[in-house]
Amino acid sequence: MSEKDKEAIAAFRRDVVDPSQSSLVLVDFWAEWCGPCKQLSPIIEKIAAEYADRGVLLVKINVDENGFIASQFRVQSIPTVYAIFKGQPVADLTSARTEGQYRQMLDKILAQLPIESEASKAAQDLAPLIAVAEEALGAGDTEQALGLFGQLGEVAPDNPQVIGGYLRALAALGQTEEAEAMLASLPPEIASDPAIERGRAAIALARSATPGVDTGPLEARVAANPDDYDALFDLSAARMANGDRDGASDALLAIIAGDRAWEEGKARNQLLQLFEVVGLEDPWVSSQRRRLSAILFG
């Protein structure tokens, strides 16, 4: 082995292997004469900068100057891009050519690996504070929850859980226009997050309900005619607006039990939306899902 190869190995260990013990290192094999490499360079550099706080590093290796390293990775064409973690290739990103493709592949990789990053540390610090805000929202202290989520938003403006909680608090207060405006302003990569979807469901429910509704007349209509599904559906919305999720679920389940296809499954869709708002991991949702399953499959 030549001195040049030994130096290349030492540099690779310093620049790639050692950092990859806690970070995800993107290794871009390129050359000055490679046209596609020059086209890819600004894209991959932008993505690496964007994902830096999530523990992603970029190392560019010129194959003309580091032929030994390129041969160890069996690089046959360029550009070739590998993701390295703990000294081992974990993904071949060569097929990616656009920012969207890189984001999709990196999001999938990062979700599966214990990467140490500023973002992960920040998320750990935020978790107990988010839990306090969620507890306030779940207990019906909506104004306090809105304030807490708002304060967290100043610290972590791009955190989906914080944004989703703020949207749900706005929806619970009937401030649907403000919530919808905020939702519309979110970038696509955040807007598709499950926490945001939960906020979107809360807004949709809030649109169909008016807080403080007197349920008496609707209760009377249902008592006189249990098959009055329109009244049952409106009663469910009124109960939910008044914070009675048990009663809301009871009314929707009564419709499903009587006619699951009513209005093209409108009651079931509303119930699933209610589950989304409360939270799919919530024990209450689990119990209501069992009730729904008993009706559908019993």
Side-chain angles (χ1 to χ4, degrees):
M1 182 181 295
S2 68
E3 281 300 317
K4 182 179 180 181
D5 290 344
K6 291 180 181 178
E7 290 176 3
I9 291 173
F12 186 81
R13 182 177 294 113
R14 180 192 66 236
D15 298 337
V16 177
V17 176
D18 290 346
S20 75
Q21 300 306 308
S22 59
S23 301
L24 185 71
V25 181
L26 304 184
V27 180
D28 175 22
F29 291 95
W30 70 290
E32 289 286 356
W33 48 264
C34 171
C37 297
K38 293 180 179 179
Q39 294 177 346
L40 177 66
S41 184
I43 295 174
I44 194 171
E45 288 173 3
K46 179 181 179 181
I47 291 297
E50 181 180 321
Y51 279 74
D53 68 342
R54 296 179 63 182
V56 175
L57 303 175
L58 173 63
V59 175
K60 299 174 73 67
I61 295 181
N62 189 316
V63 296
D64 290 335
E65 299 173 356
N66 297 273
F68 180 77
I69 297 298
S71 68
Q72 296 302 300
F73 280 86
R74 298 179 181 178
V75 175
Q76 298 180 343
S77 63
I78 52 177
T80 291
V81 182
Y82 288 112
I84 310 293
F85 183 62
K86 293 195 178 298
Q88 299 296 322
V90 294
D92 183 349
L93 308 184
T94 304
S95 62
R97 285 291 183 271
T98 67
E99 293 180 22
Q101 289 172 337
Y102 269 107
R103 290 191 186 97
Q104 184 177 19
M105 297 174 82
L106 285 176
D107 287 343
K108 183 176 181 181
I109 296 168
L110 293 172
Q112 298 172 346
L113 298 176
I115 304 293
E116 295 179 10
S117 65
E118 292 181 12
S120 64
K121 292 176 182 176
Q124 291 176 0
D125 293 339
L126 280 176
L129 301 177
I130 292 175
V132 171
E134 287 287 356
E135 184 177 354
L137 186 56
D141 195 347
T142 314
E143 291 284 359
Q144 182 184 10
L146 184 67
L148 290 171
F149 279 121
Q151 292 172 17
L152 291 172
E154 295 178 3
V155 178
D158 297 326
N159 186 292
Q161 288 182 297
V162 172
I163 298 170
Y166 192 81
L167 289 172
R168 286 185 285 119
L170 285 174
L173 290 169
Q175 300 177 29
T176 55
E177 290 187 5
E178 182 179 345
E180 288 171 342
M182 183 177 184
L183 188 62
S185 69
L186 296 177
E189 60 270 22
I190 295 179
S192 60
D193 191 274
I196 305 302
E197 290 297 332
R198 190 178 173 192
R200 183 177 285 108
I203 295 169
L205 273 183
R207 279 201 222 102
S208 64
T210 303
V213 172
D214 179 7
T215 61
L218 290 170
E219 301 274 8
R221 281 178 58 187
V222 172
N225 180 10
D227 295 332
D228 186 344
Y229 299 140
D230 287 311
L232 272 170
F233 190 85
D234 291 343
L235 179 59
S236 170
R239 285 173 173 173
M240 189 60 197
N242 292 338
D244 181 10
R245 66 184 184 186
D246 287 326
S249 180
D250 288 345
L252 292 172
L253 287 170
I255 297 173
I256 297 169
D259 183 359
R260 66 186 65 177
W262 178 74
E263 294 285 342
E264 298 181 346
K266 185 177 179 180
R268 183 174 181 272
N269 292 335
Q270 185 83 337
L271 184 61
L272 294 178
Q273 198 169 58
L274 174 56
F275 291 167
E276 187 75 29
V277 172
V278 175
L280 298 181
E281 303 302 320
D282 192 284
W284 180 85
V285 171
S286 297
S287 68
Q288 300 305 308
R289 279 188 178 278
R290 288 193 292 271
R291 295 178 65 194
L292 176 61
S293 296
I295 291 172
L296 296 177
F297 308 112

